[in-house]
Amino acid sequence: MSYIQAENLIKQYGAGEAAVTAVGGMSFRIKMGEFVAVMGESGSGKSTLLTMMGALNTPTSGEYSVDGLEVYELGQDQRADFRREFLGFVFQSFHLVTYLTVLENVMLPLVTVKTNGRTKRAMAEDALSRVGLDGKAHRLPGQISGGEQERVAIARAIVNEPPILLADEPSGNLDTKTSREVMDLLRSLNEDGMTIVMVTHSPECAGYARRLLRISDGLLVEDIPINGSAINLECWSSGVME
Amino acid sequence: MTLKDIALRNLRRRKAKASFVLAGLLIAVSTAVALLGLIEAMNRDIQQKLEEYGANILIVPRTENLTLTYGGLSLGGVSFEMEEIRQADLVRVKAIKNAANVAAMGPTVLGAVKVKDHKVLLAGVDFQATKILKPWWQVAGTAPSDFGVLLGSEAARILALKTGDHFKVSGSNLEVSGVLVATGSQDDQLVFTRLDTAQSLLKKEGLVSMVEVAALCNACPIEEMVRQISVALPDTKVMAIQQVVQTRMETLDYFRKFSYGVTAVLVLVGSLVVLVTMMGSVRERTSEIGIFRAMGFRRSHVIRIVLLEAGIMSALAGVLGYLVGFGSTKVALPLLTGGNGMVVTFDPVLAAGAFVTAIIMGLASSVYPALLAARIDPTDALRTL
């Protein structure tokens, strides 16, 4: 069985007395194919954890492996290759490259892949088709709606069919209806076998996951399975959530 | 979709910044092209002028005697044995390394003859070569044919001869085909005839007394030409008439050095413009670079995008810079030189040099911004999103 495994991950910024601990020692194991929601208050270390899982942010200490591969023992170039082959990112606020068309944005992860242009284009068109954006390939990001931009971001994340998708507040800037559509899409991808780790503030969105990691002050305080329904806000009556 | 496409799209999006880079490179390249084009035009002009100045190297027989003339005065009655150069040996001059720089070679045979009870110096010359060697000669009459002579103005006066007159030398009947307009030189005293005619009259077949050479070698020192000819003709004494050439060369050399200095400053300023603009561009694109890195771009890919952008702009600046510089020289040259006939022509070496210089400038100035871009921490970059 393949796992994403974190062992006492610590991330501190600064040094000495001025050091700030963003992640204070987290250990967890995620099975491939899981859909995990990560929740916590602002500044709890969710995004730092996600960037460490995305091989973008070297932990101060601890171990992190994917499918047995010790990610932070890899060199910079190998980490870039790892991101390209294993990970898809969906950022908060979509983060599309404004001067590239929808199709070109989706093709970005394929730019450095040694495949011919026609194949890359077909893969990008297929990804756009999967998120329901067939007809908007040649528009610029500024010419489509927020929901559509989020779909483009998802299409870009899945275009090279990575086994893991890391999503940071994928519905953060969307209305309720569009949020649901996006979450349905993520669930569908998970049902197709993609591992999804999603940082969210939204209990409703977290309800789409099968497992919840709750973080507070850089520590993992809860790791529970959830049954696929929206999490009762009362769960957070302790005031952990904003 | 390739790295090149990303670079091109970005250039199209950031037109103002791209134009700034282009302007920085273009000004440097076009000014360099204009200055170097001007030097080249002046070079050609000097070559042409050198031709007009005539002979600048003199080959005479090696002798152990001292010359008994000073300030144009000769001690009459004193003579010494004069050695000669074998005419056949002169072909060796055509085989020297800088033979292509020899514009004309004029062998001359000299000897005293008696004309109408006067002793005069008869000079046998190659009149074709003399046209180049002594372009200031003006002849009243025509160039001599067989047994024809050209009289120096003083010789004509003293001998009381004019065009069409005949006189005898060593039993041969000679005809005056023309008289030289006064030159103010020793040529005024001489009687000129064809080289073979003079050799025959003086009984010096196959021999010459001296050789005048017009060497057009503005890229190499005249001393080098002298050295090469000396090696080719070891039994002769080769002398350079240096003054005119050297003065011209020195003037051009000063201008050349000045132009190189100006070009270097402009290249430096242009490079700084590119550096600052590219740094600004990289800083503006921090978030975008973060996205690229998250998508699996290696640092080298980011470097390549920045350098591709710089390379595209540099190539464009190289081509446009040459055209603008070439055009400027073409327009400015008549104004600067008062239309004295200097021309600027397409120089493929200068064009290639401009192109390569622009690319080297653009790329070298963009290396640091590219490295900065590659070193951007993707986490920091994504935080700016």
Side-chain angles (χ1 to χ4, degrees):
Chain A
M1 176 68 79
S2 301
Y3 294 100
I4 297 171
Q5 191 155 336
E7 206 62 55
N8 198 26
L9 274 186
I10 294 173
K11 181 66 188 182
Q12 287 181 324
Y13 292 105
E17 287 182 6
V20 175
T21 303
V23 173
M26 282 192 207
S27 299
F28 55 82
R29 176 187 276 195
I30 296 169
K31 276 189 284 187
M32 285 303 192
E34 277 194 275
F35 189 162
V36 179
V38 180
M39 296 188 79
E41 73 274 31
S42 289
S44 60
K46 306 184 300 289
S47 293
T48 301
L49 175 65
L50 204 70
T51 53
M52 285 198 288
M53 292 179 75
L56 290 167
N57 196 0
T58 308
T60 308
S61 66
E63 289 174 5
Y64 174 67
S65 65
V66 174
D67 200 10
L69 182 72
E70 287 292 340
V71 173
Y72 287 101
E73 285 180 9
L74 300 173
Q76 285 288 344
D77 284 349
Q78 286 68 38
R79 269 188 236 174
D81 296 345
F82 166 79
R83 285 194 289 274
R84 190 175 60 239
E85 287 166 26
F86 283 80
L87 305 176
F89 284 95
V90 177
F91 302 105
Q92 193 175 3
S93 308
F94 328 128
H95 310 324
L96 303 175
V97 179
T98 54
Y99 58 87
L100 299 179
T101 64
V102 163
L103 185 69
E104 288 166 343
N105 264 287
V106 175
M107 286 171 81
L108 269 182
L110 304 174
V111 166
T112 57
V113 175
K114 284 179 182 149
T115 314
N116 68 57
R118 197 171 294 170
T119 307
K120 288 180 187 178
R121 194 184 174 89
M123 288 169 77
E125 284 169 347
D126 183 50
L128 279 174
S129 176
R130 285 174 75 182
V131 300
L133 284 175
D134 307 69
K136 308 211 167 167
H138 299 292
R139 297 209 183 163
L140 289 169
Q143 296 169 329
I144 57 176
S145 70
E148 287 169 332
Q149 289 188 40
E150 188 67 31
R151 284 166 183 272
V152 175
I154 294 172
R156 183 177 65 185
I158 64 172
V159 69
N160 52 344
E161 299 181 346
I164 302 162
L165 188 142
L166 302 175
D168 190 0
E169 301 280 5
S171 61
N173 291 322
L174 303 176
D175 59 45
T176 309
K177 180 174 170 290
T178 315
S179 281
R180 282 184 185 145
E181 286 172 6
V182 167
M183 292 314 299
D184 284 338
L185 186 58
L186 292 182
R187 176 181 277 173
S188 150
L189 290 169
N190 174 245
E191 284 168 0
D192 288 345
M194 188 175 279
T195 307
I196 297 179
V197 179
M198 173 183 70
V199 165
T200 183
H201 272 118
S202 160
E204 190 183 352
C205 291
Y208 281 80
R210 295 285 183 272
R211 180 179 166 190
L212 173 69
L213 301 180
R214 190 160 64 89
I215 293 171
S216 180
D217 293 332
L219 296 170
L220 184 60
V221 294
E222 198 167 24
D223 181 354
I224 54 167
I226 48 179
N227 60 7
S229 59
I231 295 169
N232 187 343
L233 275 174
E234 287 173 10
C235 296
W236 308 96
S237 57
S238 59
V240 173
M241 283 290 290
E242 285 178 327
Chain B
M1 182 75 172
T2 60
L3 296 176
K4 189 182 76 190
D5 294 327
I6 294 174
L8 280 170
R9 298 280 200 292
N10 182 56
L11 287 174
R12 259 193 291 184
R13 180 183 58 143
R14 296 170 193 270
K15 288 190 182 77
K17 280 214 155 44
S19 307
F20 213 54
V21 170
L22 184 66
L25 290 168
L26 197 140
I27 289 169
V29 172
S30 57
T31 311
V33 167
L35 284 173
L36 297 176
L38 204 58
I39 289 177
E40 189 50 39
M42 289 173 73
N43 242 335
R44 272 195 304 276
D45 184 57
I46 283 183
Q47 281 208 5
Q48 201 180 330
K49 291 277 184 349
L50 282 176
E51 214 165 314
E52 288 166 15
Y53 290 137
N56 49 15
I57 293 176
L58 197 62
I59 306 171
V60 295
R62 190 180 288 280
T63 175
E64 297 307 316
N65 296 309
L66 293 171
T67 310
L68 298 181
T69 62
Y70 185 77
L73 295 174
S74 178
L75 295 176
V78 178
S79 63
F80 51 88
E81 190 185 344
M82 192 169 173
E83 295 173 29
E84 308 287 350
I85 303 167
R86 282 190 301 278
Q87 192 177 351
D89 292 346
L90 298 181
V91 291
R92 289 190 226 142
V93 176
K94 290 178 182 164
I96 64 168
K97 186 180 160 198
N98 285 91
N101 297 101
V102 176
M105 190 163 67
T108 304
V109 66
L110 295 168
V113 290
K114 209 162 189 179
V115 179
K116 292 167 120 182
D117 297 329
H118 290 280
K119 260 192 141 176
V120 295
L121 196 58
L122 179 70
V125 297
D126 175 345
F127 285 99
Q128 283 300 321
T130 305
K131 277 185 191 169
I132 297 170
L133 294 166
K134 299 182 177 182
W136 54 87
W137 268 18
Q138 287 179 286
V139 179
T142 57
S145 54
D146 289 352
F147 295 100
V149 296
L150 193 64
L151 297 178
S153 58
E154 274 298 290
R157 185 182 66 79
I158 291 166
L159 298 173
L161 290 170
K162 59 183 187 303
T163 305
D165 289 349
H166 288 79
F167 61 93
K168 280 195 182 274
V169 171
S170 307
S172 296
N173 190 32
L174 302 178
E175 182 191 0
V176 180
S177 57
V179 177
L180 267 182
V181 174
T183 62
S185 71
Q186 288 183 333
D187 292 348
D188 294 345
Q189 315 283 329
L190 269 58
V191 173
F192 296 92
T193 185
R194 285 167 48 134
L195 181 64
D196 51 353
T197 306
Q199 284 171 331
S200 165
L201 293 172
L202 297 169
K203 307 275 185 281
K204 291 184 179 180
E205 280 88 353
L207 299 174
V208 295
S209 311
M210 57 180 273
V211 185
E212 288 173 299
V213 178
L216 308 176
C217 189
N218 65 343
C220 66
I222 197 79
E223 289 85 355
E224 174 58 19
M225 294 284 292
V226 167
R227 192 193 62 77
Q228 290 175 18
I229 296 173
S230 298
V231 171
L233 300 172
D235 296 328
T236 62
K237 185 179 172 191
V238 186
M239 296 170 289
I241 305 166
Q242 298 190 25
Q243 268 182 326
V244 173
V245 180
Q246 266 190 349
T247 310
R248 285 258 155 181
M249 292 302 161
E250 278 168 14
T251 310
L252 185 64
D253 203 39
Y254 290 144
F255 185 66
R256 191 193 302 275
K257 282 176 185 162
F258 171 74
S259 300
Y260 287 162
V262 172
T263 302
V265 170
L266 282 166
V267 165
L268 190 68
V269 172
S271 301
L272 283 173
V273 169
V274 176
L275 174 73
V276 170
T277 312
M278 292 304 280
M279 293 273 281
S281 175
V282 164
R283 284 204 187 95
E284 278 179 16
R285 297 166 69 191
T286 303
S287 57
E288 187 183 305
I289 291 164
I291 295 171
F292 291 156
R293 298 280 280 132
M295 299 292 120
F297 282 45
R298 290 179 171 196
R299 285 180 168 180
S300 57
H301 294 129
V302 175
I303 290 174
R304 274 162 64 188
I305 291 174
V306 176
L307 292 184
L308 268 168
E309 288 174 15
I312 292 165
M313 295 315 292
S314 305
L316 195 59
V319 173
L320 289 178
Y322 179 78
L323 293 175
V324 171
F326 179 74
S328 306
T329 316
K330 226 169 166 69
V331 170
L333 206 56
L335 300 174
L336 291 173
T337 60
N340 78 342
M342 269 196 220
V343 285
V344 56
T345 53
F346 172 74
D347 180 354
V349 176
L350 186 59
F355 188 73
V356 171
T357 305
I359 290 197
I360 290 173
M361 265 175 78
L363 291 183
S365 311
S366 303
V367 166
Y368 182 63
L371 289 174
L372 273 188
R375 282 188 202 137
I376 286 174
D377 183 342
T379 318
D380 288 341
L382 291 169
R383 208 171 283 144
T384 67
L385 290 167

